[in-house]
Amino acid sequence: MDKMSVKEHLEMCFDKKLRFWKETFNSNPKIPYIAEIDNNIFIEGTVDDEGYAQWLPIMQTRAIDFVSFENKLGFKLHEQMKEYLSSHWFLELIGRMANDITIYFNKVSDMDDIYSLLFSELNADTYLITRGITSGRKLLLIGMATIKGDDSNAIYFDNETAEMIFINSDNNILNRAARIAAGDIAGNCIPYKDGLLKEEKICIMAL
């Protein structure tokens, strides 16, 4: 059986997310409305009294000029990262993994988000080298994670190996935390109960 592509993994995650919201809340996913986002992700007319609006992931239709980004970065982006950034526009991916880990991926809702992901941490590599965490690898900040109640963990994508690394700036043990293949995350489905849930639900990347 062929390994699933990044796009296929994302579509599987979105499907789980949409089904979870429909079955649990009889609604599409909701987050606080952001007026600046104009890619038709938010569903028109769904803003409620608390300022939350329903949204749906949107498949991207225009090619992204990664060559210009790579010229500015000074290195080639891994194909998995290119596929991740050019597949869909989305607002929220949150998931629960084994070992009491909750992951929060940054939204990819427009070109500004892509630019921020690629360039907001240009000095991160130097910073991480000085801490002895990595040896010259190019790392891209893609989200945050809560590990055993500690919510100060950043999630970096290793552009060389296509792995994700959890890094905690204050905890050298977590700085050496297990590296996990990015494509394997979607398969880590475990029951999770929190907030408004009355019972456990299978909801990796589906809150």
Side-chain angles (χ1 to χ4, degrees), residues 106 116-118 120-121 124 139-144 154-157:
N106 296 338
S116 177
L117 185 151
L118 294 176
S120 65
E121 295 277 320
L139 304 178
L140 301 170
L141 180 65
I142 60 174
M144 301 296 292
I155 306 175
Y156 284 91
F157 177 86

Side-chain angles (χ1 to χ4, degrees), residues 65-79 81-82 118-119 159:
D65 181 11
F66 284 112
V67 173
S68 63
F69 288 147
E70 290 170 335
N71 288 339
K72 185 171 182 177
L73 286 166
F75 60 87
K76 294 286 187 182
L77 288 168
H78 195 284
E79 289 301 316
M81 176 53 63
K82 291 181 183 179
L118 294 176
F119 297 106
N159 193 66

Side-chain angles (χ1 to χ4, degrees), residues 137-178:
R137 288 197 168 109
K138 305 301 182 183
L139 304 178
L140 301 170
L141 180 65
I142 60 174
M144 301 296 292
T146 298
I147 302 177
K148 298 185 183 302
D150 183 348
D151 62 0
S152 60
N153 304 281
I155 306 175
Y156 284 91
F157 177 86
D158 187 326
N159 193 66
E160 178 181 333
T161 63
E163 293 173 323
M164 288 199 306
I165 311 170
F166 296 130
I167 296 176
N168 183 300
S169 60
D170 300 316
N171 188 321
N172 286 327
I173 294 177
L174 288 176
N175 284 341
R176 300 189 295 271

Side-chain angles (χ1 to χ4, degrees), residues 119-133:
F119 297 106
S120 65
E121 295 277 320
L122 280 177
N123 295 321
D125 190 53
T126 301
Y127 166 75
L128 295 171
I129 291 173
T130 61
R131 292 178 59 83
I133 299 170

